[in-house]
Amino acid sequence: MKPHRSPLGLALLGLTAALSLPPGTWAADRADLARPEPAPLPFPLVARFENFGEKDGLPSHKIHCVLKASDGRLWLGTGNGLCVRGADGRFRRYGPEDGLSHPAVLSIAEDPRTGDLWIATMRGLSRLSGGRFTSFTQTDSGLPNNVVYGVAVVDGTVWAATPAGAGAYNIREKSWKIYDHNNAPMEEPWCYAIAPGRDVVYIGVWAGGIVEHDPRLGSFKAYRDPDGDFQFQLTPDSGPIADITSWVAYDDGILWQATYFGLSRYDTQEATWRTWVQDKTPLVSNFINSVFARGHVAWVSTDRGACVTDGTTWATYAVDEQGRGLVRIDRPGGAPETRRMATRLADGFVTAIWADDHEAWFATSNGLSHAVFANQAAVAANP
Amino acid sequence: MRTLNCLLLAFAAAAPAAPLAAQAPAAGPDSARFIYATPGETYPYYAGLPREFWPFNAVEPYERFFTTRMPFRGPGRDYPNPSDLKSLRIGLLDSPKYDANWERSVRTREGVVLAFEEANRSRRPGQLPFELVEREGIAQWGGAGNLAVDFADQKVLGFLGTIDGADAHVALRVTLKTEVVIINTSDPDPTLTETNIPWLLRVLPDHRIEEARMADTIVRRFGCRRIAILREGDRYGRLGVHNFMNFARRLGCPAAQELLFSPGNPDIPHQIATIKDARPDAIFFIGEPADIGRFARQFRLAGIQARFFGADLLMDDRFLKEAGDAAEGAMFTYYFDPARSDPLWVDFVARFSRRWGHAPDAYAAYAYDGAQVMLHAIDAAGPNRWRIRDQVCNLDYYHGVTGWMQFDGTGSNIAPVRLVRYEHGNRVFEPQAEFTPPAAGGL
């Protein structure tokens, strides 16, 4: 086998299974640090990270998800409760004693019409409305299973991804529908993520690729790994990279699939696929926990750092063995540039990201990071 | 796997971290029975099967997975040990009571309990006892997910289980969030370990290993050309024949038929008539042993003379009882010869028989081995889930009571299986040398 390796791929080849990057792997070139950007990037660049951990009031080192609500408040799903960051910067925790159905919070969605929060936990789905929690479980509602990996609110319907199917709760009618292997193109009903699309809902299915559902028509379409095997990817850019979907995200006509085998992108207008794997492309790791879509840009959470990409240009944030922050920029046709950062991600094991044009928040397995964006020519250089 | 190639691909890529040094004296099996991964190690591709069994084997795919083991790169190894422990808790996820797997689950439990009892008897002063936290399976989709969450809430350090492939998959996905390692001792679904979630080890050889051996036997050894498949119409049946059909096709002999039945169905006249019309020279069965035995007898009564083949469940007495004379000549794969003279096995059989009043089967034996690996990992790593994971998932070879195991890049045991045939009502194991890893003087 003679894989096509990008310079970045070659640089990353020596990465070990350690928690962070080994010395020299991403050695920053000091000469590059002060060099102005040759061209604007298609996404914001992080200038510095501000990190928060248990010492700052977070109830757990493990942060599963992050959402900045429309009112500007930041919500976190942690291994030990739901958290909100107040205007004073302090974190307030909500747990089962407040009505949350389980302390492990995996996903949070906001109802854009009411501002209510829907909270996916490992034992039920909770709703936070007017400061009060209401919970739904598989024994007192139509929720298919208590382990809720993903939640989304689409046109008055709350979608919950569970290992026994996708539950759809009509808020106004207070009625449930379940989509599983009996009525949707899934071999097994193991659903792990929900993403609202344009007039459709995308369901990330474990071993079932991605299921597209049009609620108006009641129709389904399945996107599956064309080679049908977990042991390899036969050809790149031919379809979903794997049938084991860990997350899906959609914005502006672009659907992203996160897997533990790499990253896939589907252009719904052109009906074309692109795929990325580590070592052969700028993707830093095949193990992707989740992906956040904004416009044509994806914010990719991996076990080895975070990538930002529009599919052509990449910025990757990682932590080296000495615990220093690094950013690597990969432009089409150009040599990758590695820069040392003055600050670093709270941890390289990134579980989820939320971003807009002004800032980004990174949930990690060891704390929370706030990314402050910079003027691209003024990336902090602090070796 | 002496008869099969172990192709090592020269991939220079990430390798599992080296195992941690033992932090406490290990109880149970001697350390020489554990061989761990080394940095940069690559693993046999596609379960170590010869290239002719691989999908698209005439072309080089863009990317191969599982040539190295997926490491866990998250934090946790340096977290302080809990200070308030009164015992070292380990979960056991049983099958739902009265489910088809219930009897196998009971035997699994017997193996696990014996391992715990022996380990606790050998604890030294100052060492915490092991505590088994059992949960009975829930007979509904996703139920195992709820129980895996419950295990995390109960603060187990790892858990064992389960037989049902769907349950095992669902529980595994939860462990990625809860970070509790699983050792699976009894699910033969090949896809279970192909998820890249680095929190699982399986000690049972899977259906891929069995079916490659059987396809080779049917097509090459016996020269059969018209293979009919009769399988359960459920997930176990679907996945149980999936690889067999592909392997037979790659050997130039696509299955002539694949027919399904409902478990417990007393007779299947339509399937039998259809298969008879196809004039098969081989029939491959996947299903519960009593069903398969009953249908084997019905095939013979219908005048079908094709050879019968199957997988490990044909070892079960219920197959022989239902099939009667129709079992004669039936050939199947099994994991090891229960009459083997390996001292570890002989001694285990004696101890197990004393404890439970009957001899162990494969489910009990692999459960015992899986429990031993878990207990050893906890003693070596201390009560830290992340370090326990490293101990479990960095294992390359283990010498259990069932023999030497070899773990591939997915964390699944790819040790070779045995061929067995029924002869005058007896199970005759074909001669085969015991598998021994290179580091222990084998291969």
Side-chain angles (χ1 to χ4, degrees), chain B residues 143-154:
Chain B
N146 299 336
L147 295 172
V149 172
D150 185 52
F151 278 145
D153 290 346
Q154 296 295 319

Side-chain angles (χ1 to χ4, degrees), chain A residues 203-211 223-225 240 242-245 248 257:
Chain A
I203 306 170
V205 185
W206 184 268
I210 304 164
V211 171
Y223 299 93
R224 301 293 299 266
D225 177 2
D243 278 339
I244 297 176
T245 302
V248 286
Q257 179 203 29

Side-chain angles (χ1 to χ4, degrees), chain B residues 19-86:
Chain B
L20 297 166
Q23 300 183 354
D30 188 294
S31 294
R33 290 164 56 187
F34 297 82
I35 300 175
Y36 288 97
T38 53
E41 185 167 350
T42 56
Y43 290 86
Y45 185 64
Y46 218 75
L49 300 178
R51 188 175 184 118
E52 62 194 326
F53 285 90
W54 301 359
F56 303 102
N57 53 49
V59 298
E60 190 63 27
Y62 174 70
E63 178 76 357
R64 294 191 194 284
F65 302 106
F66 306 115
T67 56
T68 60
R69 259 186 220 150
M70 175 61 73
F72 172 67
R73 299 190 177 99
R77 294 167 178 89
D78 59 344
Y79 292 173
N81 292 342
S83 57
D84 56 346
L85 293 181
K86 292 183 173 56

Side-chain angles (χ1 to χ4, degrees), chain A residues 49-242:
Chain A
F49 292 104
E50 300 166 343
N51 295 334
F52 306 90
E54 288 177 297
K55 63 179 172 44
D56 302 301
L58 290 177
S60 169
H61 59 86
K62 183 98 179 175
I63 316 296
H64 291 295
C65 59
V66 56
L67 169 78
K68 191 163 185 182
S70 55
D71 64 3
R73 288 195 293 177
L74 186 76
W75 293 88
L76 309 173
T78 82
N80 186 26
L82 176 73
C83 246
V84 63
R85 187 168 188 248
D88 58 359
R90 294 187 175 180
F91 296 100
R92 178 181 174 186
R93 173 187 177 272
Y94 297 93
E97 65 277 15
D98 300 302
L100 189 68
S101 54
H102 190 267
V105 175
L106 303 182
S107 178
I108 308 168
E110 181 182 15
D111 185 338
R113 298 194 296 197
T114 63
D116 289 357
L117 293 186
W118 290 84
I119 301 129
T121 84
M122 296 198 89
R123 191 171 292 126
L125 177 69
S126 292
R127 174 190 201 173
L128 180 57
S129 179
R132 299 184 61 166
F133 287 96
T134 311
S135 287
F136 302 78
T137 68
Q138 67 185 74
T139 51
D140 64 13
S141 74
L143 186 68
N145 184 268
N146 277 345
V147 182
V148 186
Y149 289 100
V151 61
V153 184
V154 186
D155 295 333
T157 296
V158 181
W159 288 81
T162 85
Y169 176 64
N170 186 307
I171 299 170
R172 179 172 295 174
E173 296 177 0
K174 295 182 168 55
S175 62
W176 286 85
K177 284 183 182 175
I178 295 177
Y179 299 94
D180 60 16
H181 56 302
N182 294 305
N183 58 3
M186 309 174 187
E187 287 180 357
E188 287 91 9
W190 306 330
C191 300
Y192 291 99
I194 301 283
R198 180 176 296 164
D199 299 327
V200 298
V201 172
Y202 294 102
I203 306 170
V205 185
W206 184 268
I210 304 164
V211 171
E212 178 186 291
H213 172 55
D214 186 331
R216 299 166 307 167
L217 303 175
S219 62
F220 294 92
K221 180 180 181 181
Y223 299 93
R224 301 293 299 266
D225 177 2
D227 62 47
D229 200 293
F230 298 124
Q231 294 263 349
F232 56 84
Q233 187 190 15
L234 189 61
T235 57
D237 305 329
S238 53
I241 199 164

Side-chain angles (χ1 to χ4, degrees), chain A residues 224-380:
Chain A
R224 301 293 299 266
D225 177 2
D227 62 47
D229 200 293
F230 298 124
Q231 294 263 349
F232 56 84
Q233 187 190 15
L234 189 61
T235 57
D237 305 329
S238 53
I241 199 164
D243 278 339
I244 297 176
T245 302
S246 60
W247 203 256
V248 286
Y250 172 93
D251 197 17
D252 200 18
I254 304 295
L255 174 68
W256 300 86
Q257 179 203 29
T259 80
Y260 305 133
F261 301 81
L263 178 69
S264 308
R265 174 188 188 269
Y266 180 62
D267 186 322
T268 61
Q269 309 295 318
E270 299 180 0
T272 55
W273 285 90
R274 287 204 62 190
T275 55
W276 293 269
V277 293
Q278 70 180 53
D279 298 340
K280 294 189 173 78
T281 74
L283 183 65
V284 70
S285 171
N286 285 340
F287 193 93
I288 304 175
N289 285 306
S290 67
V291 58
F292 177 87
R294 181 169 174 82
H296 283 202
V297 172
W299 295 72
V300 186
S301 302
T302 86
D303 64 343
R304 203 187 250 171
C307 300
V308 191
T309 183
D310 64 348
T312 302
T313 303
W314 294 69
T316 302
Y317 302 94
V319 182
D320 73 9
E321 198 173 57
Q322 282 74 44
R324 298 174 302 194
L326 298 173
V327 57
R328 185 170 192 107
I329 299 171
D330 213 80
R331 299 173 191 273
E337 307 161 40
T338 303
R339 303 170 180 182
R340 196 174 300 159
M341 299 180 72
T343 54
R344 48 160 280 187
L345 280 165
D347 192 83
F349 198 100
V350 182
T351 54
I353 303 172
W354 181 93
D356 65 9
D357 292 338
H358 310 290
E359 62 178 347
W361 290 87
F362 295 72
T364 84
S365 270
N366 204 11
L368 173 74
S369 291
H370 177 222
V372 178
F373 295 158
N375 183 326
Q376 291 182 359
V379 174

